[in-house]
Amino acid sequence: MPKINVYLPDELAEAVRASGVPVSAVCQRALEQAVRRVTAIRETALGELDDADLAARLPHFTARARTAVRLGIERSRAGGSAGVSTAHLLDGLLAEGGNLALHVLRVEEIEPERLASDLAGQSTAEPGVAADSTSQHFSGPAANALELAVTEATAFGHNYVGCEHLLLGLVAEPDGVAGQLLRSRGAELRLTRRAVAAALAGYVHLRAQAQPPPAQAGAAGTPTELAGMLAAAVAREVQPIVARIERLEERAGVTGEN
């Protein structure tokens, strides 16, 4: 039976040793579940899907994340592609237009508009889709990216998968067109995770501050105006938070991938 090495952070490794958790059995179950989910995603036939279909197939994805996936499927179909690639998923994420992932990209000095232009000149071909298939499917890397998005959300302790998690899944996926493009533009996984964490923390804080007192209900503007104000504030405030985290890590001598 082939062996797979699992590397754990020092603190977690020590806790595992102290608790006597059966690492091999736990890893095997987790891998079995991941393989089943990725296989199910790859084998899903993508017909004329609506939000109800996607909600059933991607049950923990938010409405915005489902919209991004649906737009990616539509772009694949419009281009006559045999399958939905990570490039199509990234294109859908950019086309959705109002999600937190776009603010995270700007924090990393990656303009979504430029990224969309770069995508237009990229090949979308990826392994895992039969060229003679009679129905559309996700490519192997696209299925992996969707699974990695779930993994990233779980690591954050979230019970939902948002566009920010999908972005992380695309960056983390090693073989897809989208991940290669994002990494070439500077979307390093560790920094992107920190930017997502900072953006979420800033959004929650700003949203709490923006809540009007009961006596002034309605004074804060329409939901669209409030969303625009929060989006602009998050874009302004996330960069200093990430920079501060990096300075602290440099002082502490922290290196390597998290």
Side-chain angles (χ1 to χ4, degrees), residues 161-221:
V161 180
C163 289
E164 62 275 19
H165 304 120
L166 180 55
L167 173 64
L168 287 170
L170 291 169
V171 172
E173 209 292 317
D175 301 319
V177 172
Q180 293 169 9
L181 176 61
L182 285 164
R183 291 189 295 274
S184 73
R185 297 297 181 266
E188 190 266 332
L189 182 57
R190 184 181 60 175
L191 179 58
T192 306
R193 284 192 187 120
R194 291 185 191 128
V196 167
L200 288 169
Y203 183 84
V204 170
H205 176 67
L206 289 166
R207 186 173 183 178
Q209 285 187 325
Q211 291 294 330
Q216 299 178 358

Side-chain angles (χ1 to χ4, degrees), residues 78-226:
S81 300
V84 179
S85 70
T86 57
H88 296 124
L89 292 178
L90 178 57
D91 200 7
L93 190 69
L94 299 173
E96 194 281 330
N99 58 76
L100 193 61
L102 304 182
H103 300 302
V104 170
L105 287 170
R106 292 189 180 100
V107 164
E108 296 184 292
E109 299 183 349
I110 303 171
E111 285 301 320
E113 296 78 11
R114 175 65 183 274
L115 201 56
S117 177
D118 291 340
L119 271 176
Q122 290 278 337
S123 168
T124 61
E126 291 179 347
V129 175
D132 58 351
S133 177
T134 57
S135 61
Q136 271 195 321
H137 294 77
F138 288 110
S139 70
N144 289 336
L146 292 171
E147 172 64 16
L148 285 167
V150 176
T151 301
E152 294 288 344
T154 302
F156 273 102
H158 298 158
N159 62 356
Y160 64 91
V161 180
C163 289
E164 62 275 19
H165 304 120
L166 180 55
L167 173 64
L168 287 170
L170 291 169
V171 172
E173 209 292 317
D175 301 319
V177 172
Q180 293 169 9
L181 176 61
L182 285 164
R183 291 189 295 274
S184 73
R185 297 297 181 266
E188 190 266 332
L189 182 57
R190 184 181 60 175
L191 179 58
T192 306
R193 284 192 187 120
R194 291 185 191 128
V196 167
L200 288 169
Y203 183 84
V204 170
H205 176 67
L206 289 166
R207 186 173 183 178
Q209 285 187 325
Q211 291 294 330
Q216 299 178 358
T222 67
T224 301
E225 291 168 344
L226 180 58

